[in-house]
Amino acid sequence: MLSTISVVIENELKSHGGLYELEQQIGQGNFACVWKAHHKLAPVQVAIKVIDKRSRNEADLIKIHREISILKKLRHPNIIKLYQYIETEDYIFLGLYFKIIYSPKRRQFSD
């Protein structure tokens, strides 16, 4: 069962095409939380970075938009690919490539 915030996020995403279905929250940082999701039309796992603009000041939003601008342009095998960018009144959503990596030295998987 998804949390209250995930319902809010899913409703925001549905109002902009509804192409992603959240699975679980996989991270939390200073600027955003990150959810593992899958694309409903393509067999693609994605990480949805969710930024709540209401809790950010103008300087933070400038940095975030700079990051988005850079991600849109970059194409490199060692940099996460930006699939989709959605901005609403309250949130910014970044649909990023999701990859599970196996570490033989640590004998475990990591996201």
Side-chain angles (χ1 to χ4, degrees):
M1 186 168 158
L2 295 175
S3 66
T4 304
I5 187 64
S6 65
V7 172
V8 170
I9 292 167
E10 281 206 329
N11 286 339
E12 288 277 336
L13 288 171
K14 283 179 186 172
S15 70
H16 287 82
L19 296 177
Y20 301 100
E21 186 169 324
L22 299 180
E23 294 177 15
Q24 66 185 45
Q25 186 173 352
I26 57 174
Q28 179 82 34
N30 290 331
F31 282 99
C33 62
V34 180
W35 292 80
K36 182 179 177 185
H38 66 270
H39 195 283
K40 291 181 179 179
L41 302 178
V44 177
Q45 288 284 316
V46 293
I48 304 290
K49 185 174 184 178
V50 182
I51 302 163
D52 186 343
K53 295 180 352 182
R54 299 169 298 180
S55 62
R56 300 287 126 218
N57 61 36
E58 190 62 33
D60 288 345
L61 291 173
I62 289 170
K63 291 175 189 173
I64 292 164
H65 282 101
R66 186 179 315 129
E67 175 188 352
I68 293 165
S69 176
I70 291 167
L71 283 172
K72 283 180 178 180
K73 297 173 187 173
L74 288 176
R75 295 291 178 261
H76 189 278
N78 295 330
I79 298 175
I80 295 173
K81 180 180 177 182
L82 175 66
Y83 278 115
Q84 188 172 22
Y85 160 71
I86 300 169
E87 186 164 358
T88 68
E89 185 176 331
D90 295 331
Y91 295 96
I92 296 172
F93 300 97
L94 303 178
L96 304 162
Y97 176 71
F98 181 84
K99 183 176 182 180
I100 298 175
I101 301 166
Y102 180 73
S103 173
K105 289 183 181 179
R106 296 184 357 188
R107 295 181 186 217
Q108 66 182 23
F109 289 93
S110 64
D111 297 334

